[in-house]
Amino acid sequence: MKILILGGTGMLGPWVVKALKNKHQLLLTDINEPPKKYQGDFLKLSVDDINGVINAAEGMDCIINLSVLRHDRKLAFDVSTKGNYSMMNAAKIHNIKRVINTGPHFQMVGQSYEEWDFNLNPEMPPQPGTRLYAISKFLGQEIAKRYADYFGINLITLLYYNMRHHYDLTTPNEEKAVLHNDMVPFTTSWIDCGEAVRCAVEIDKSKLQSNSETFFISPMTPHNKFNSSKTFDILGWRPKYSLENLWTKKIKKSNNHIENSY
Amino acid sequence: MEKKKNILISSNGSSIAKILSNCLVSHNIKFINGKDLIYSKSKELEKLFEKIDVYVHIGFKGFSAKDEMELIDYHTRITYDLLFAAGVKNVEKVISISTLELYKDYEANLTVSENWETKFPLDQPELLCANLSEKVCKEFARDQVFQVINLRLGDLRENSDIRLSEEKLKKSINLMINLDFSSEELKQTKNPFFSARKKGPNWINFHLQDTFEGQKFLTNKIDNLIGV
């Protein structure tokens, strides 16, 4: 498949490239250049540049959106909301029938759901609340879903919770993790997060019940706070690292977040 | 006699803003002049909401944009910025002005009420933006920042199957300014435990069009309140 990746040199991008590069033809785009170890095609592009995204999408079979900026109000809406508008218009214009969107779990199950005890699931009505990151991603998702339903595009949305490097349990731009202290039951390794995108790219259309399907990407937990059964049953994702694997592992030092990726 | 309220309206250039100002003439009205405002400066935004009781946010055809990206920016980021500032300044109520055209894609023979899912064509960015604007307002209501009354208006032009007269709009919006909708919602709740509910919902939709034979939208909810 020819795949356009938006926001491909951020936190998740290197792991998505690792999962896809041997089977698919990738065009990686981002406002930041990839490191030298990345050998594939790259285009410098901001996701809110609608004409740039439309041009880059020509001839593609699939678009993956990994872009995110969450600290500045303008940038957050430019990337997470308007970026999705660019992406979905590109899909419409070039008749691209598969779009993979990614985001945080709380763009759907935000603050007002926090007190719920269990069985939060991806079929619930979204309630992101007013946190900047959550609401800007949610509005982007609303645009993407409308386009998917109206123009018959398969939109697969993957929602993540807590991502850590499988060597040393770190996540970029945060302090070093302390084994057993900084983990939540939904901790997922970056390498497994990339695999989830591969599952979404390769899933047979007949398994999808509607044009817009959302999946929680986190390992199965006994208390079932986030119900990921749909992810296991339909997406076919099986994480290599469960909480138990990560909890009992021996920490292996990594030089940076992208070690063992690309 | 009801107390005069201090009302801020989100823009002054559009025809809907002019109609709304005619309707609310008995109150103290101020407008936001979008051209002069740098929306990224939050302190300046907050100044606009000093001593404001009610903010009227026009989410449909209230803003003229150079292209669709600017239109989306206004109805998402700038709307978020404005509502955030309103929250900081403890504005008690927001009236969101939306449109019944959000139901354009339903068959004509269906009778649509306030809680239906919206369904509209995507060839008009204004409709997508009205939907996005509603969503932003709703999240502020859901987070208990202030109450939001969402008015989906019919067409103020004469020959429309969803026509809405200025007279009905005036009567309705003036009622909304003073409405304690939490208690109104509770009155309509038949749940035996409703007395245990300390606080009503913070979000309410009203569909507003004239009442006539064959009208497309069910308007009992607003008509009961204004006494049609």
Side-chain angles (χ1 to χ4, degrees), chain B residues 98-118:
Chain B
S98 185
T99 174
L100 288 173
E101 288 188 47
L102 287 177
Y103 295 96
K104 214 171 182 175
D105 269 358
Y106 280 110
E107 291 169 39
N109 62 341
L110 293 169
T111 309
V112 174
S113 76
E114 276 86 349
N115 293 335
W116 283 45
E117 186 178 5
T118 55

PDB file of all heavy atoms in Angstrom, chain B residues 98-118:
ATOM      1  N   SER B  98     -27.477  28.788  16.866  1.00  0.00           N
ATOM      2  CA  SER B  98     -27.182  27.780  15.854  1.00  0.00           C
ATOM      3  C   SER B  98     -28.322  27.746  14.834  1.00  0.00           C
ATOM      4  O   SER B  98     -29.093  28.709  14.746  1.00  0.00           O
ATOM      5  CB  SER B  98     -26.982  26.427  16.549  1.00  0.00           C
ATOM      6  OG  SER B  98     -26.581  25.458  15.621  1.00  0.00           O
ATOM      7  N   THR B  99     -28.437  26.679  14.104  1.00  0.00           N
ATOM      8  CA  THR B  99     -29.407  26.652  12.997  1.00  0.00           C
ATOM      9  C   THR B  99     -30.116  25.303  12.869  1.00  0.00           C
ATOM     10  O   THR B  99     -29.503  24.244  13.096  1.00  0.00           O
ATOM     11  CB  THR B  99     -28.702  26.987  11.661  1.00  0.00           C
ATOM     12  OG1 THR B  99     -29.634  26.823  10.601  1.00  0.00           O
ATOM     13  CG2 THR B  99     -27.505  26.081  11.403  1.00  0.00           C
ATOM     14  N   LEU B 100     -31.359  25.377  12.467  1.00  0.00           N
ATOM     15  CA  LEU B 100     -32.120  24.147  12.182  1.00  0.00           C
ATOM     16  C   LEU B 100     -31.620  23.461  10.910  1.00  0.00           C
ATOM     17  O   LEU B 100     -31.962  22.310  10.643  1.00  0.00           O
ATOM     18  CB  LEU B 100     -33.608  24.474  12.036  1.00  0.00           C
ATOM     19  CG  LEU B 100     -34.349  24.837  13.336  1.00  0.00           C
ATOM     20  CD1 LEU B 100     -35.769  25.300  13.022  1.00  0.00           C
ATOM     21  CD2 LEU B 100     -34.386  23.643  14.281  1.00  0.00           C
ATOM     22  N   GLU B 101     -30.814  24.177  10.145  1.00  0.00           N
ATOM     23  CA  GLU B 101     -30.273  23.566   8.917  1.00  0.00           C
ATOM     24  C   GLU B 101     -29.324  22.407   9.227  1.00  0.00           C
ATOM     25  O   GLU B 101     -28.929  21.673   8.327  1.00  0.00           O
ATOM     26  CB  GLU B 101     -29.572  24.624   8.066  1.00  0.00           C
ATOM     27  CG  GLU B 101     -30.558  25.575   7.413  1.00  0.00           C
ATOM     28  CD  GLU B 101     -29.899  26.496   6.414  1.00  0.00           C
ATOM     29  OE1 GLU B 101     -29.111  26.002   5.599  1.00  0.00           O
ATOM     30  OE2 GLU B 101     -30.175  27.701   6.470  1.00  0.00           O
ATOM     31  N   LEU B 102     -28.970  22.259  10.492  1.00  0.00           N
ATOM     32  CA  LEU B 102     -28.143  21.099  10.871  1.00  0.00           C
ATOM     33  C   LEU B 102     -28.895  19.784  10.691  1.00  0.00           C
ATOM     34  O   LEU B 102     -28.312  18.710  10.823  1.00  0.00           O
ATOM     35  CB  LEU B 102     -27.674  21.230  12.321  1.00  0.00           C
ATOM     36  CG  LEU B 102     -26.588  22.278  12.574  1.00  0.00           C
ATOM     37  CD1 LEU B 102     -26.266  22.369  14.061  1.00  0.00           C
ATOM     38  CD2 LEU B 102     -25.310  21.938  11.804  1.00  0.00           C
ATOM     39  N   TYR B 103     -30.186  19.871  10.400  1.00  0.00           N
ATOM     40  CA  TYR B 103     -30.997  18.656  10.163  1.00  0.00           C
ATOM     41  C   TYR B 103     -31.409  18.529   8.699  1.00  0.00           C
ATOM     42  O   TYR B 103     -32.321  17.788   8.373  1.00  0.00           O
ATOM     43  CB  TYR B 103     -32.241  18.688  11.057  1.00  0.00           C
ATOM     44  CG  TYR B 103     -31.905  18.612  12.522  1.00  0.00           C
ATOM     45  CD1 TYR B 103     -31.811  19.765  13.297  1.00  0.00           C
ATOM     46  CD2 TYR B 103     -31.650  17.387  13.130  1.00  0.00           C
ATOM     47  CE1 TYR B 103     -31.483  19.698  14.646  1.00  0.00           C
ATOM     48  CE2 TYR B 103     -31.322  17.308  14.476  1.00  0.00           C
ATOM     49  CZ  TYR B 103     -31.240  18.465  15.222  1.00  0.00           C
ATOM     50  OH  TYR B 103     -30.910  18.391  16.553  1.00  0.00           O
ATOM     51  N   LYS B 104     -30.711  19.263   7.855  1.00  0.00           N
ATOM     52  CA  LYS B 104     -31.081  19.346   6.442  1.00  0.00           C
ATOM     53  C   LYS B 104     -31.147  17.989   5.742  1.00  0.00           C
ATOM     54  O   LYS B 104     -31.916  17.807   4.796  1.00  0.00           O
ATOM     55  CB  LYS B 104     -30.039  20.220   5.742  1.00  0.00           C
ATOM     56  CG  LYS B 104     -30.565  21.051   4.617  1.00  0.00           C
ATOM     57  CD  LYS B 104     -29.478  22.015   4.178  1.00  0.00           C
ATOM     58  CE  LYS B 104     -30.006  22.908   3.073  1.00  0.00           C
ATOM     59  NZ  LYS B 104     -29.027  23.927   2.710  1.00  0.00           N
ATOM     60  N   ASP B 105     -30.341  17.044   6.170  1.00  0.00           N
ATOM     61  CA  ASP B 105     -30.267  15.770   5.455  1.00  0.00           C
ATOM     62  C   ASP B 105     -31.286  14.730   5.925  1.00  0.00           C
ATOM     63  O   ASP B 105     -31.237  13.588   5.476  1.00  0.00           O
ATOM     64  CB  ASP B 105     -28.850  15.193   5.544  1.00  0.00           C
ATOM     65  CG  ASP B 105     -27.990  15.655   4.366  1.00  0.00           C
ATOM     66  OD1 ASP B 105     -28.529  16.376   3.498  1.00  0.00           O
ATOM     67  OD2 ASP B 105     -26.800  15.307   4.317  1.00  0.00           O
ATOM     68  N   TYR B 106     -32.184  15.109   6.822  1.00  0.00           N
ATOM     69  CA  TYR B 106     -33.266  14.173   7.179  1.00  0.00           C
ATOM     70  C   TYR B 106     -34.406  14.305   6.172  1.00  0.00           C
ATOM     71  O   TYR B 106     -34.651  15.384   5.634  1.00  0.00           O
ATOM     72  CB  TYR B 106     -33.790  14.467   8.592  1.00  0.00           C
ATOM     73  CG  TYR B 106     -32.921  13.893   9.685  1.00  0.00           C
ATOM     74  CD1 TYR B 106     -32.175  14.723  10.505  1.00  0.00           C
ATOM     75  CD2 TYR B 106     -32.855  12.518   9.891  1.00  0.00           C
ATOM     76  CE1 TYR B 106     -31.364  14.195  11.509  1.00  0.00           C
ATOM     77  CE2 TYR B 106     -32.047  11.984  10.890  1.00  0.00           C
ATOM     78  CZ  TYR B 106     -31.308  12.825  11.696  1.00  0.00           C
ATOM     79  OH  TYR B 106     -30.510  12.295  12.675  1.00  0.00           O
ATOM     80  N   GLU B 107     -35.105  13.193   5.967  1.00  0.00           N
ATOM     81  CA  GLU B 107     -36.256  13.220   5.055  1.00  0.00           C
ATOM     82  C   GLU B 107     -37.269  14.244   5.532  1.00  0.00           C
ATOM     83  O   GLU B 107     -37.466  14.426   6.729  1.00  0.00           O
ATOM     84  CB  GLU B 107     -36.954  11.856   5.051  1.00  0.00           C
ATOM     85  CG  GLU B 107     -36.164  10.745   4.417  1.00  0.00           C
ATOM     86  CD  GLU B 107     -36.814   9.396   4.694  1.00  0.00           C
ATOM     87  OE1 GLU B 107     -38.060   9.315   4.662  1.00  0.00           O
ATOM     88  OE2 GLU B 107     -36.076   8.447   4.966  1.00  0.00           O
ATOM     89  N   ALA B 108     -37.956  14.846   4.558  1.00  0.00           N
ATOM     90  CA  ALA B 108     -38.878  15.941   4.874  1.00  0.00           C
ATOM     91  C   ALA B 108     -40.053  15.483   5.736  1.00  0.00           C
ATOM     92  O   ALA B 108     -40.623  16.270   6.488  1.00  0.00           O
ATOM     93  CB  ALA B 108     -39.391  16.553   3.581  1.00  0.00           C
ATOM     94  N   ASN B 109     -40.427  14.196   5.653  1.00  0.00           N
ATOM     95  CA  ASN B 109     -41.625  13.751   6.383  1.00  0.00           C
ATOM     96  C   ASN B 109     -41.350  13.403   7.846  1.00  0.00           C
ATOM     97  O   ASN B 109     -42.260  13.048   8.576  1.00  0.00           O
ATOM     98  CB  ASN B 109     -42.276  12.561   5.671  1.00  0.00           C
ATOM     99  CG  ASN B 109     -41.348  11.369   5.622  1.00  0.00           C
ATOM    100  OD1 ASN B 109     -40.149  11.523   5.796  1.00  0.00           O
ATOM    101  ND2 ASN B 109     -41.898  10.188   5.386  1.00  0.00           N
ATOM    102  N   LEU B 110     -40.117  13.509   8.271  1.00  0.00           N
ATOM    103  CA  LEU B 110     -39.811  13.201   9.673  1.00  0.00           C
ATOM    104  C   LEU B 110     -40.026  14.442  10.543  1.00  0.00           C
ATOM    105  O   LEU B 110     -39.757  15.559  10.111  1.00  0.00           O
ATOM    106  CB  LEU B 110     -38.360  12.735   9.810  1.00  0.00           C
ATOM    107  CG  LEU B 110     -38.037  11.403   9.151  1.00  0.00           C
ATOM    108  CD1 LEU B 110     -36.535  11.170   9.126  1.00  0.00           C
ATOM    109  CD2 LEU B 110     -38.733  10.249   9.874  1.00  0.00           C
ATOM    110  N   THR B 111     -40.525  14.189  11.747  1.00  0.00           N
ATOM    111  CA  THR B 111     -40.685  15.304  12.683  1.00  0.00           C
ATOM    112  C   THR B 111     -39.522  15.265  13.661  1.00  0.00           C
ATOM    113  O   THR B 111     -39.394  14.354  14.459  1.00  0.00           O
ATOM    114  CB  THR B 111     -42.019  15.168  13.452  1.00  0.00           C
ATOM    115  OG1 THR B 111     -43.051  14.975  12.483  1.00  0.00           O
ATOM    116  CG2 THR B 111     -42.289  16.408  14.268  1.00  0.00           C
ATOM    117  N   VAL B 112     -38.697  16.270  13.556  1.00  0.00           N
ATOM    118  CA  VAL B 112     -37.423  16.256  14.277  1.00  0.00           C
ATOM    119  C   VAL B 112     -37.547  17.046  15.587  1.00  0.00           C
ATOM    120  O   VAL B 112     -38.065  18.163  15.593  1.00  0.00           O
ATOM    121  CB  VAL B 112     -36.331  16.888  13.385  1.00  0.00           C
ATOM    122  CG1 VAL B 112     -35.019  17.027  14.148  1.00  0.00           C
ATOM    123  CG2 VAL B 112     -36.132  16.060  12.128  1.00  0.00           C
ATOM    124  N   SER B 113     -37.100  16.447  16.673  1.00  0.00           N
ATOM    125  CA  SER B 113     -37.112  17.183  17.946  1.00  0.00           C
ATOM    126  C   SER B 113     -35.679  17.509  18.387  1.00  0.00           C
ATOM    127  O   SER B 113     -34.712  17.135  17.712  1.00  0.00           O
ATOM    128  CB  SER B 113     -37.851  16.384  19.020  1.00  0.00           C
ATOM    129  OG  SER B 113     -37.028  15.335  19.466  1.00  0.00           O
ATOM    130  N   GLU B 114     -35.573  18.163  19.530  1.00  0.00           N
ATOM    131  CA  GLU B 114     -34.297  18.760  19.953  1.00  0.00           C
ATOM    132  C   GLU B 114     -33.164  17.770  20.197  1.00  0.00           C
ATOM    133  O   GLU B 114     -32.001  18.142  20.128  1.00  0.00           O
ATOM    134  CB  GLU B 114     -34.499  19.579  21.234  1.00  0.00           C
ATOM    135  CG  GLU B 114     -34.985  21.005  21.012  1.00  0.00           C
ATOM    136  CD  GLU B 114     -36.489  21.109  20.914  1.00  0.00           C
ATOM    137  OE1 GLU B 114     -37.169  20.065  20.815  1.00  0.00           O
ATOM    138  OE2 GLU B 114     -36.996  22.237  20.903  1.00  0.00           O
ATOM    139  N   ASN B 115     -33.501  16.540  20.548  1.00  0.00           N
ATOM    140  CA  ASN B 115     -32.426  15.612  20.926  1.00  0.00           C
ATOM    141  C   ASN B 115     -31.961  14.707  19.791  1.00  0.00           C
ATOM    142  O   ASN B 115     -31.186  13.789  20.017  1.00  0.00           O
ATOM    143  CB  ASN B 115     -32.867  14.767  22.121  1.00  0.00           C
ATOM    144  CG  ASN B 115     -33.016  15.621  23.359  1.00  0.00           C
ATOM    145  OD1 ASN B 115     -32.390  16.677  23.466  1.00  0.00           O
ATOM    146  ND2 ASN B 115     -33.865  15.205  24.277  1.00  0.00           N
ATOM    147  N   TRP B 116     -32.445  14.964  18.594  1.00  0.00           N
ATOM    148  CA  TRP B 116     -31.982  14.157  17.455  1.00  0.00           C
ATOM    149  C   TRP B 116     -30.528  14.490  17.125  1.00  0.00           C
ATOM    150  O   TRP B 116     -30.085  15.627  17.308  1.00  0.00           O
ATOM    151  CB  TRP B 116     -32.843  14.448  16.217  1.00  0.00           C
ATOM    152  CG  TRP B 116     -34.187  13.794  16.226  1.00  0.00           C
ATOM    153  CD1 TRP B 116     -35.059  13.732  17.273  1.00  0.00           C
ATOM    154  CD2 TRP B 116     -34.807  13.119  15.138  1.00  0.00           C
ATOM    155  NE1 TRP B 116     -36.201  13.068  16.892  1.00  0.00           N
ATOM    156  CE2 TRP B 116     -36.075  12.680  15.593  1.00  0.00           C
ATOM    157  CE3 TRP B 116     -34.438  12.851  13.824  1.00  0.00           C
ATOM    158  CZ2 TRP B 116     -36.960  11.978  14.772  1.00  0.00           C
ATOM    159  CZ3 TRP B 116     -35.322  12.171  13.004  1.00  0.00           C
ATOM    160  CH2 TRP B 116     -36.560  11.731  13.482  1.00  0.00           C
ATOM    161  N   GLU B 117     -29.873  13.476  16.600  1.00  0.00           N
ATOM    162  CA  GLU B 117     -28.518  13.704  16.110  1.00  0.00           C
ATOM    163  C   GLU B 117     -28.582  14.587  14.868  1.00  0.00           C
ATOM    164  O   GLU B 117     -29.487  14.426  14.040  1.00  0.00           O
ATOM    165  CB  GLU B 117     -27.884  12.350  15.745  1.00  0.00           C
ATOM    166  CG  GLU B 117     -26.435  12.468  15.377  1.00  0.00           C
ATOM    167  CD  GLU B 117     -25.793  11.123  15.059  1.00  0.00           C
ATOM    168  OE1 GLU B 117     -26.519  10.106  15.046  1.00  0.00           O
ATOM    169  OE2 GLU B 117     -24.581  11.118  14.823  1.00  0.00           O
ATOM    170  N   THR B 118     -27.651  15.497  14.757  1.00  0.00           N
ATOM    171  CA  THR B 118     -27.663  16.374  13.583  1.00  0.00           C
ATOM    172  C   THR B 118     -27.171  15.615  12.341  1.00  0.00           C
ATOM    173  O   THR B 118     -26.379  14.672  12.466  1.00  0.00           O
ATOM    174  CB  THR B 118     -26.771  17.615  13.816  1.00  0.00           C
ATOM    175  OG1 THR B 118     -25.470  17.164  14.166  1.00  0.00           O
ATOM    176  CG2 THR B 118     -27.322  18.481  14.918  1.00  0.00           C
TER     177      THR B 118
END
